[in-house]
């Protein structure tokens, strides 16, 4: 929630240039909230939802960081701006899929959740 509040504040100060920080922050907050709620309430398939929500949140936060700061970072400043948007997803999505396929809790059969 702290990162979402910070991203919202930064976006509000310069909305025309930084509205994407608000959008990415809101999406990251929503994904993390979903992952946390799945874990806390033990929804059916909670492990998969938790891994996906938390991983997606992290990818979105990294995207926001690189979109906002990439032009000032060594090596990154040499790359076209589209790369700032794509690299976190290109790296993060395969890692999320790997966790979904190989993490012991994701592979184990889940007991039915209490309703």
């Amino acid at each position: 929630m702290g990162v979402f509040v910070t991203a919202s504040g930064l976006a509000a100060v310069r909305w025309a240039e930084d509205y994407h920080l608000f959008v990415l922050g809101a999406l990251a907050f929503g994904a993390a909230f979903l992952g946390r709620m799945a874990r806390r309430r033990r929804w059916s398939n909670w492990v998969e939802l938790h891994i996906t929500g938390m991983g997606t949140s992290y990818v979105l936060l990294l995207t926001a960081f690189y979109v906002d700061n990439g032009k000032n970072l060594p090596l990154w400043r040499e790359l076209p701006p589209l790369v700032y948007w794509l690299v976190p997803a290109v790296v993060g999505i395969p890692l999320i899929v790997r966790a979904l396929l190989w993490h012991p809790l994701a592979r184990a059969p889940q007991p039915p959740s209490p309703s």
Side-chain angles (χ1 to χ4, degrees):
M1 184 188 296
V3 173
F4 173 61
V5 170
T6 303
S8 298
L10 290 171
V13 171
R14 295 178 18 177
W15 184 257
E17 296 86 12
D18 291 336
Y19 68 91
H20 58 273
L21 292 178
F22 174 77
V23 173
L24 290 169
L27 291 171
F29 179 74
F33 183 78
L34 173 75
R36 183 174 185 263
M37 291 304 292
R39 166 66 175 94
R40 290 187 63 159
R41 299 195 182 192
R42 300 289 177 142
W43 294 339
S44 63
N45 297 330
W46 72 266
V47 174
E48 290 85 359
L49 290 171
H50 179 73
I51 291 171
T52 303
M54 293 302 183
T56 301
S57 176
Y58 191 70
V59 167
L60 290 166
L61 290 174
L62 282 176
T63 302
F65 174 80
Y66 286 121
V67 166
D68 194 46
N69 298 302
K71 61 189 173 289
N72 302 317
L73 298 172
L75 178 68
W76 285 87
R77 75 177 116 210
E78 308 299 327
L79 301 172
L82 181 62
V83 172
Y84 307 154
W85 288 92
L86 297 178
V87 166
V90 167
V91 172
I93 290 172
L95 293 173
I96 294 169
V97 171
R98 182 184 183 278
L100 290 169
L101 294 174
W102 293 102
H103 192 279
L105 288 177
R107 294 178 69 185
Q110 300 296 315
S113 64
S115 298

